[in-house]
Structures are given as C-alpha cells and as structure tokens.
C-alpha cells in the first residue's frame, strides 16, 4: 500500500513574531497568513521488511534502521525520526512500524515559508491516513508543533503548523497555556484575484540563520528590551488591521501595513535584515513596488512585494537582475491532504 500526502507552504502577511514564545505566552499573538501552491510532500510505503527507511530526496539524504520503537536523534533526518517516535509512542502502543518514507518539498529549507513545519504536517497526515488515526486539524497542528518545537527543541513560532494544516487565509490567535484559535477568513473572489495580481514573490537565495534570529528575538523579550517589545506589539496590532483591510479589499492600506510591519520587524533582532535584502527592497521600490516584507523569521528566504499590477513586470525585470529569482504562485484554500493508493 502507498500513502501520499501534501501540505501547503504559507506566506506571512502580518503578525509574524508575535507567535513566538515567550511573547505569545505573556501578551498573546495575532498572525494573518495564507497558503500557496507550493507544497511539502510525503509518501509512505508500508512493507513487512522489519526495516525503517527515510529518504529526503530534495536534500539527497537517506536513513535506514531495523524497525524499533525509538530512533535516536543525531542531526540526520531528525524531523522524520521525531514524527515516527511520536506516532509509535502515542498511537501504536509503543510497537515499532516498518515503512519506507520519501519526502520532498517545493521550497528549500530556510525559505521563510514554514517549510520544516509544513513537512512535519505532511508526514503526520500520511501517518493519519495509513493508521486511520482519529485526529482533526487542531490535533495535527498541535502535535506537529510539539514535535518540532518541544521534542526537537527547534526555535520558531506557532503559526506554521496551523497554516499548513488548515489552509487558506487565516487570522490565528495565540494565547497563554497553548490556546490557539484559527479564524478562517471569507474573502471575495475578486479580492483574492486582485491581491494575487498585486504581489511579487522574490527568493533572495541568501544564507539564513533563522535559529539565531529567533534566539535574539526571544532574548529581547526575556530582557524586556523596550524597542523590540514595542515593535512586536505593533506587529501584532498590524495583523488585526491587515485582517480588516483584506476583508474590505483596501489594497492601498494593505500595502501600507505590509511596509510598516517590515520596518517594525527589523527592530525585533539585528540580523533580520542584511545588505542583500535591503538591495532587493530598494530595487523593487524604485521599479514601482509600493512596499514589501520578509516572509518568515528574516535574514533571507522570500520577500513579498506589493505592486500595482500594471507595474508588476517592471518590478520582476528589476529583481531578475539580482542573484535571486521571482517565483510564480497562487493562493490555495485546501490545507493538508492525504490519500491511499
């Protein structure tokens, strides 16, 4: 039997950073994001070989072991091992599984599109299909968060697993004691089309150290750095305004919030921006873009630019003169999916 799954990557429009502990635990966080037609994929082949094989084909990494109840972490496909360990422990009575799992993604690691969290969701969704696990969207997203952030100790926020699991445009509220509320937004088709036509997605191809950025951000909250705290408060408020403007179809206001949030985000940690990002930003604005912001923690990855559709090609041509690349995309409403062959 073959099980396939996929989960969509996401763009962060507003609020990113307010979903990171300890800020979200103390003050609560608000995030507005949307999923796009770039995916993390997983394939499970169930077999009777008493062997476990993980293959991350996009990274050209493979791991193999005899079937066992717990796989040790050693920096080699630890995401795959952590998901396996959690499924065996919680849903298979501690009994080992035998399988070959193949994974790959449309976006590289460190893209700022939530690629690692989305991969965890894709892997969990495949196990849910294979083992017929009684898990809904909230449970899948919560387990994926716990596996990545708590069990593996990887720094990051909470939004990625919920975006990948639910799909579509979502305004997500993060509260103390791990309480999360996902509010799907009902946006008119003309607004979705107009917003899609007004965005340019640029991949900087810059090295990205999201873990360091997030650690600096966490330290600034813990030490009560007033500039960083006020910037996070502003980012959180901007998520609420972004929700209102997207629902109303106020494109100019969306562009204003996007640019303002980027200026605030740069105050969260010193390494969020760099000369490569600033050069791309300046060139895009000179070519006609209204504003833009990094999607994700910062330091590299993808930048979202807001532009008048009549100036779109001017911005694309200008950005294509740099070392990065412009990526075509469309919004998608469907979250994580899995099916049996």
């Amino acid at each position: 039997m073959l099980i396939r799954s996929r989960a969509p990557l996401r763009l962060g429009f507003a609020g990113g950073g307010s979903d990171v502990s300890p800020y979200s635990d103390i003050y609560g966080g608000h995030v507005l994001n949307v999923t796009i037609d770039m995916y993390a994929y997983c394939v499970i082949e169930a077999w009777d070989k008493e062997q476990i094989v993980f293959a991350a084909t996009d990274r050209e990494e493979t791991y193999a072991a005899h079937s066992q109840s717990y796989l040790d972490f050693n920096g080699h496909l630890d995401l795959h091992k952590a998901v396996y360990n959690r499924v065996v422990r919680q849903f298979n009575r501690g009994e080992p599984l035998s399988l070959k799992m193949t994974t790959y993604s449309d976006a590289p690691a460190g893209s700022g599109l939530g690629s690692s969290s989305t991969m965890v969701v894709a892997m969990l969704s495949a196990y849910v299909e294979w083992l017929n696990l009684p898990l809904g969207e909230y449970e899948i997203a919560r387990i994926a968060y716990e596996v990545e952030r708590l069990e593996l100790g990887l720094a990051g926020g909470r939004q990625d697993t919920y975006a990948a699991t639910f799909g579509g445009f979502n305004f997500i509220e993060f509260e103390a004691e791990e309480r999360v509320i996902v509010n799907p937004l009902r946006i008119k088709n003309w607004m979705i089309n107009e917003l899609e036509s007004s965005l340019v997605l640029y991949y900087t191809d810059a090295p990205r150290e999201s873990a360091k950025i997030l650690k600096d951000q966490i330290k600034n909250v813990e030490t009560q750095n007033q500039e960083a705290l006020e910037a996070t408060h502003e980012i959180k408020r901007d998520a609420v305004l972004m929700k209102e403007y997207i629902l109303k179809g106020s494109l100019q206001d969306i562009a204003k919030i996007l640019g303002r949030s980027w200026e605030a985000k740069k105050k969260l940690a010193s390494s969020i921006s760099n000369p490569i990002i600033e050069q791309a930003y300046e060139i895009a604005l000179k070519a006609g873009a209204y504003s833009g912001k990094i999607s994700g923690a910062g330091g590299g990855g993808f930048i979202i630019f807001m532009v008048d559709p009549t100036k779109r090609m001017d911005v694309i041509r200008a950005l294509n003169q740099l070392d990065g690349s412009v990526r075509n995309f469309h919004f998608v409403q469907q979250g994580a999916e899995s099916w049996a062959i």
Side-chain angles (χ1 to χ4, degrees):
M1 177 190 293
L2 283 180
I3 303 295
R4 300 190 195 277
S5 67
R6 70 177 188 178
L9 301 168
R10 62 102 184 104
L11 295 179
F13 273 113
S18 72
D19 62 318
V20 178
S21 294
Y23 181 90
S24 58
D25 304 321
I26 301 169
Y27 305 101
H30 294 154
V31 170
L32 194 150
N33 57 36
V34 60
T35 47
I36 60 175
D37 58 350
M38 296 172 66
Y39 295 90
Y41 302 87
C42 177
V43 181
I44 287 179
E45 180 182 353
W47 56 19
D48 298 321
K49 298 181 181 181
E50 295 189 1
Q51 188 179 28
I52 301 164
V53 175
F54 298 139
T57 57
D58 52 343
R59 299 168 56 179
E60 298 183 320
E61 291 186 51
T62 303
Y63 169 86
H66 183 76
S67 293
Q68 53 196 283
S69 299
Y70 182 84
L71 303 175
D72 291 322
F73 302 139
N74 60 2
H76 187 47
L77 297 185
D78 284 348
L79 276 180
H80 299 61
K81 297 172 186 174
V83 175
Y84 172 88
N85 290 345
R86 179 64 179 265
V87 169
V88 166
R89 181 178 77 247
Q90 186 171 350
F91 302 109
N92 207 51
R93 303 177 305 280
E95 297 295 325
L97 294 166
S98 298
L99 73 152
K100 178 179 181 182
M101 173 182 285
T102 304
T103 60
Y104 53 99
S105 177
D106 288 332
S111 64
L113 303 181
S115 53
S116 62
S117 300
T118 304
M119 182 59 75
V120 174
V121 170
M123 289 190 283
L124 269 174
S125 297
Y127 280 115
V128 167
E129 181 74 25
W130 178 29
L131 303 175
N132 194 27
L133 303 181
L135 298 178
E137 288 95 339
Y138 277 101
E139 289 86 359
I140 291 173
R142 173 60 186 272
I143 291 172
Y145 165 78
E146 291 176 350
V147 164
E148 187 177 18
R149 305 292 179 227
L150 305 182
E151 295 173 22
L152 277 178
L154 300 177
R158 289 168 160 78
Q159 65 166 306
D160 298 342
T161 60
Y162 289 89
T165 305
F166 282 83
F169 284 84
N170 290 299
F171 178 76
I172 311 177
E173 302 171 76
F174 301 93
E175 301 181 2
E177 298 180 356
E178 307 292 344
R179 187 162 179 260
V180 181
I181 303 170
V182 179
N183 304 280
L185 302 185
R186 296 181 61 185
I187 302 174
K188 294 185 182 297
N189 285 337
W190 75 264
M191 180 53 195
I192 292 176
N193 295 337
E194 184 67 13
L195 190 57
E196 225 175 58
S197 301
S198 303
L199 291 175
V200 172
L201 186 60
Y202 175 72
Y203 183 56
T204 63
D205 202 21
R208 182 171 178 265
E209 299 181 59
S210 60
K212 180 183 183 302
I213 293 169
L214 289 163
K215 286 177 182 176
D216 289 345
Q217 183 179 327
I218 290 166
K219 181 181 177 181
N220 285 335
V221 173
E222 291 175 340
T223 59
Q224 294 289 294
N225 181 299
Q226 288 305 305
E227 182 182 45
L229 268 179
E230 184 50 47
T232 314
H233 294 334
E234 183 176 343
I235 286 169
K236 177 183 170 182
R237 291 192 294 267
D238 280 347
V240 178
L241 291 173
M242 184 68 81
K243 176 183 70 170
E244 176 186 343
Y245 296 145
I246 285 180
L247 289 172
K248 289 181 176 178
S250 304
L251 270 297
Q252 290 295 329
D253 289 320
I254 292 170
K256 180 181 176 182
I257 293 296
L258 204 67
R260 191 170 75 188
S261 287
W262 170 235
E263 293 304 316
K265 188 175 183 67
K266 287 190 284 186
K267 297 175 183 177
L268 302 186
S270 60
S271 52
I272 281 176
S273 190
N274 56 47
I276 293 174
I277 294 171
E278 292 298 327
Q279 181 188 31
Y281 201 92
E282 182 181 352
I283 283 176
L285 262 59
K286 282 183 178 179
Y290 296 132
S291 62
K293 70 176 287 291
I294 282 282
S295 180
F302 282 88
I303 309 176
I304 316 163
F305 289 108
M306 191 85 177
V307 60
D308 184 318
T310 62
K311 298 280 189 179
R312 196 168 190 274
M313 291 310 302
D314 294 334
V315 173
I316 290 173
R317 277 191 288 267
L319 289 170
N320 278 338
Q321 295 176 22
L322 302 176
D323 292 335
S325 57
V326 173
R327 304 289 181 92
N328 292 323
F329 74 95
H330 298 282
F331 301 134
V332 294
Q333 297 295 326
Q334 181 65 47
E337 302 172 275
S338 58
W339 60 98
I341 305 297

